[in-house]
Amino acid sequence: MKARLAKTRTMIAPTKTPAKAPATRSAGATDPVPAAPRGPTAARQPAPAGSATAQPRGTRRDGDITIKPARLQIDPVMESAYQAFNTGDLTRARADYQQALRNSPDSRDALLGLAAVETQARRYDAAEGYYTRLLELDPRDAYAQAALIGLKGQIDPAAAESRVKNMIAAQPEASFLHFTLGNQYAAQGRWAEAQQSYFHAYASDPEHPDFAYNLAVSLDKLHQTKPALEYYRRALTLAEGRPVSFDKAQVTTRVSQLAR
């Protein structure tokens, strides 16, 4: 999985009070809507370990025991799948993840990757099947549980909301759970609550473009123009060269409208 950048960023605090009046919209303009969950980012094997920690200098004596750092092995098929997914080549990503799954039928990384591919391709039934398989392997898999709730939440919003809240109580730092809860609130037009959930998701993972985008949308809906503009721009920056769930052209148009 890609490493997060350990960089402190300025973020607004969640609030329920609109800050200012909405910016003027152009005739016929369509406001951005929250990004539907894509599922967990396609799983990736860890990169090779860097150079080993320097050892104290000294004369090695015969019979001394030396410890060599273990090298992490990269699965080339998984690496190829991950790269294909990140460049938007879903056909190749799907083929590679399927090959990885044939090589290791219970591979969580391959199942997560396939679920992410199918969600991105809007083949939700197929994605649901992979998440269900993950839960068969581990019923406690919170990632798979949250993804299924995101896919099925419209059927019973109250039950979905309750379930996600219980999961957050057990894993308060899980960004994807806050994102899922925010989407539940957004679907019901509960924008103040959605904004707080999206803020928590973004605070936990400030490198995720969908998190920044949905936070921007919720702020926009609350007429908080200045921070909305900031996070729309942030989402576009993070989206460069990566698959996202929102329309970049539409966001660019909205940025121009708010910047006037």
Side-chain angles (χ1 to χ4, degrees), residues 16-222:
K16 293 187 178 181
T17 305
K20 58 171 68 177
T24 303
R25 289 168 169 72
S26 301
T30 302
D31 286 350
V33 296
R38 290 193 301 126
T41 302
R44 181 185 190 183
Q45 294 295 319
S51 59
T53 304
Q55 298 298 318
R57 295 181 180 275
T59 303
R60 183 179 179 278
R61 297 171 301 179
D62 291 339
D64 282 354
I65 298 175
T66 59
I67 300 176
K68 294 182 179 180
R71 290 185 175 273
L72 297 175
Q73 298 298 316
I74 297 179
D75 182 339
V77 178
M78 288 290 294
E79 180 68 13
S80 174
Y82 177 80
Q83 295 297 337
F85 180 83
N86 273 351
T87 57
D89 188 347
L90 299 184
T91 299
R92 184 163 68 88
R94 181 184 293 111
D96 285 345
Y97 278 126
Q98 287 173 339
Q99 180 60 53
L101 193 62
R102 285 192 291 272
N103 295 342
S104 180
D106 292 339
S107 170
R108 182 174 185 271
D109 285 348
L111 288 166
L112 280 175
L114 283 166
V117 168
E118 301 303 0
T119 303
Q120 183 74 0
R122 302 186 184 279
R123 296 175 54 179
Y124 300 119
D125 288 344
E128 182 178 329
Y130 289 120
Y131 287 128
T132 300
R133 173 61 179 152
L134 283 164
L135 290 177
E136 290 173 354
L137 295 172
D138 181 6
R140 299 168 299 176
D141 192 324
Y143 235 76
Q145 290 181 35
L148 280 177
I149 290 171
L151 291 173
K152 295 182 173 182
Q154 294 183 0
I155 299 175
D156 190 347
E161 178 184 334
S162 177
R163 178 59 181 149
V164 177
K165 285 181 175 178
N166 288 336
M167 295 170 69
I168 289 175
Q171 301 183 63
E173 300 303 318
S175 59
F176 60 93
L177 293 179
H178 290 286
F179 182 70
T180 300
L181 181 59
N183 285 337
Q184 294 300 312
Y185 287 141
Q188 301 171 58
R190 296 159 62 183
W191 291 109
E193 293 161 289
Q195 186 254 324
Q196 292 183 61
S197 292
Y198 291 143
F199 175 84
H200 288 305
Y202 178 82
S204 296
D205 187 357
E207 301 303 314
H208 199 306
D210 287 346
F211 292 178
Y213 168 76
N214 279 22
L215 177 56
V217 171
S218 65
L219 289 163
D220 200 357
K221 293 291 185 180
L222 292 171

